[in-house]
Amino acid sequence: DFSTLVAAVKAAGLAEALSGEGPFTIFAPTNEAFAKLPAGTVEGLLKPENKDKLAAILKYHVVAGKVMAADVSAGQVETLNGAKATIAIEGGKVTIDKATVVKTDIVGSNGVIHVIDSVILPASK
């Protein structure tokens, strides 16, 4: 379900950083989430010349600390790329920048993963 994300993390040179001590909370898009992007987007981002842009997008999916679903609250969260993402809770559903959290609390050795149904992108500066 996450082969595109894993390939992107490796292409961005973030595999070592994200397997570090942490703890991290990762909002992980599924392969289907990446497939929703316009045709050619993923392939373009995986090119070596786009490594920094890809890294910035991937870091936008990561928050420092281990935040379990029960501890999530609505509001702004600072991501590892320095930009803020917006978490909303409505009718029992949690979203981060309009991506819906579809599975929660996949605990790893250095944090937790929450699965989202869309790739989230930081606002252009």
Side-chain angles (χ1 to χ4, degrees):
D1 286 345
F2 302 103
S3 60
T4 304
L5 177 62
V6 170
V9 167
K10 288 178 181 174
L14 294 176
E16 191 173 310
L18 293 179
S19 61
E21 239 177 80
F24 302 110
T25 299
I26 300 174
F27 293 92
T30 60
N31 289 348
E32 291 80 17
F34 279 100
K36 289 181 184 179
L37 293 171
T41 301
V42 173
E43 295 79 7
L45 287 170
L46 292 175
K47 291 180 179 174
E49 62 266 24
N50 291 324
K51 183 177 180 178
D52 290 343
K53 184 175 183 181
L54 178 61
I57 291 169
L58 294 174
K59 287 179 183 177
Y60 191 65
H61 289 78
V62 183
V63 176
K66 183 177 179 180
V67 183
M68 302 301 286
D71 301 322
V72 170
S73 58
Q76 299 272 300
V77 292
E78 186 165 339
T79 66
L80 286 192
N81 89 349
K84 294 191 185 301
T86 302
I87 294 183
I89 304 169
E90 194 173 308
K93 285 194 177 204
V94 176
T95 59
I96 180 164
D97 282 0
K98 299 181 183 164
T100 302
V101 176
V102 294
K103 188 170 184 182
T104 60
D105 296 345
I106 301 170
V107 178
S109 60
N110 66 345
V112 63
I113 296 171
H114 302 298
V115 181
I116 56 177
D117 67 354
S118 301
V119 175
I120 55 176
L121 302 171
S124 298
K125 292 180 181 174

